Amino acid sequence: MPSASRRSLRFPSPPLPPEGFRYFPGALDEGEQRRLLGEVLARVEQAGWFQPTMPRSGRPLSVRMCNLGPLGWVSDRDGYRYQPHHPVTGAAWPDMPPALVRLWERFTGWPDPPQCCLVNFYRPGARMGLHRDEDEEARDAPILSISLGDAAVFVIGGRERRGPTCRLRLSSGDVLVLAGEARHAYHGIDRIVAGTSDLLPEGGRINLTLRRVTHR
Ligand code: MD3
Ligand code: FE
């Protein structure tokens, strides 16, 4: 066996992220992070967080959620779906801050505006199991992710649940665009790295995902 292939068997190279995975570390400076967080939290505190639960079992997820924009992602005993109102209060979701729409245009270049900003709140110990985002009709549109607060260990694989994954530490101010093949990949949050940011006074992590839900 040639020595190069023996070497690659002993030291397999780490799997690469899928095609269409675009990572912009430190894309938002601290001022932009604080401003964005303020605009998001003002709206979320008005609407209220909700605790999503697993379909059928009703077991609570460890992440608390809220949504901004015309449609919001919810999960309860009846399943996963997008709907225009808060699952607890029945109120329409708050509007999306214009700054978020501008980030969508700048990072994705997608011709249609985002319809949903899902706000995920992780306290230390919260996680998100491996899943694919497939409740949107417009699965050809990219997803934009913005990380705020404590860092997280992010895992991404491919279209199949089994198979190699790669890990990445997402820090406050990092932006991800999931387009092409990466848009269909299994992914999750393994853990929160507590004490890595003081953006949130009580610690924890907030992730914003901007999505297109329906076709035009
Ligand atoms: C890869 N959120 O809300 S953001 C989710 O950090 C979600 O809260 C995680 O997974 C979080 O569904 C990860 C990065 C991300 C978002 C959507 C994706 C990665 C993705 C969709 C497809 C593939
Ligand atoms: Fe996801």
Side-chain angles (χ1 to χ4, degrees):
M1 190 188 282
S3 63
S5 47
R6 198 165 56 204
R7 195 178 157 73
S8 67
L9 287 172
R10 276 204 224 171
F11 302 111
S13 46
L16 296 169
E19 176 278 320
F21 180 87
R22 302 207 290 273
Y23 178 42
F24 303 91
L28 307 183
D29 68 25
E30 203 185 307
E32 287 178 280
Q33 294 171 43
R34 293 209 178 279
R35 227 171 311 130
L36 201 55
L37 182 68
E39 292 176 349
V40 167
L41 285 185
R43 288 163 171 81
V44 168
E45 275 153 21
Q46 173 75 33
W49 295 102
F50 70 94
Q51 183 87 64
T53 60
M54 288 296 288
R56 295 185 297 279
S57 73
R59 187 170 180 264
L61 304 190
S62 55
V63 180
R64 285 201 286 172
M65 295 181 170
C66 193
N67 291 274
L68 308 177
L71 289 171
W73 187 86
V74 300
S75 175
D76 59 23
R77 277 183 180 282
D78 301 330
Y80 307 134
R81 64 193 174 276
Y82 283 90
Q83 63 181 40
H85 56 272
H86 192 288
V88 177
T89 65
W93 300 110
D95 69 310
M96 222 181 285
L100 273 181
V101 182
R102 289 196 295 270
L103 288 171
W104 168 266
E105 289 163 355
R106 175 169 139 213
F107 282 95
T108 71
W110 195 255
D112 312 312
Q115 291 171 302
C116 167
C117 172
L118 172 59
V119 185
N120 290 333
F121 176 46
Y122 299 78
R123 283 165 293 185
R127 50 190 309 285
M128 187 176 284
L130 213 59
H131 68 280
R132 294 172 59 181
D133 292 20
E134 49 190 359
D135 303 316
E136 304 76 20
E137 275 171 45
R139 286 191 288 273
D140 52 332
I143 292 177
L144 178 73
S145 152
I146 300 164
S147 293
L148 298 170
D150 283 338
V153 180
F154 171 70
V155 187
I156 186 162
R159 277 190 194 240
E160 309 293 328
R161 179 179 287 280
R162 314 179 163 285
T165 56
C166 74
R167 261 145 222 282
L168 190 72
R169 183 187 281 223
L170 293 180
S171 298
S172 197
D174 290 358
V175 168
L176 275 182
V177 175
L178 297 309
E181 194 58 24
R183 170 65 181 79
H184 306 285
Y186 275 92
H187 61 279
I189 295 293
D190 238 24
R191 64 190 182 86
I192 301 302
V193 193
T196 49
S197 165
D198 51 24
L199 195 72
L200 292 160
E202 316 257 284
R205 171 176 185 263
I206 286 185
N207 181 263
L208 311 175
T209 48
L210 275 70
R211 300 139 185 272
R212 186 76 204 170
V213 180
T214 65
H215 293 296
R216 210 169 321 168

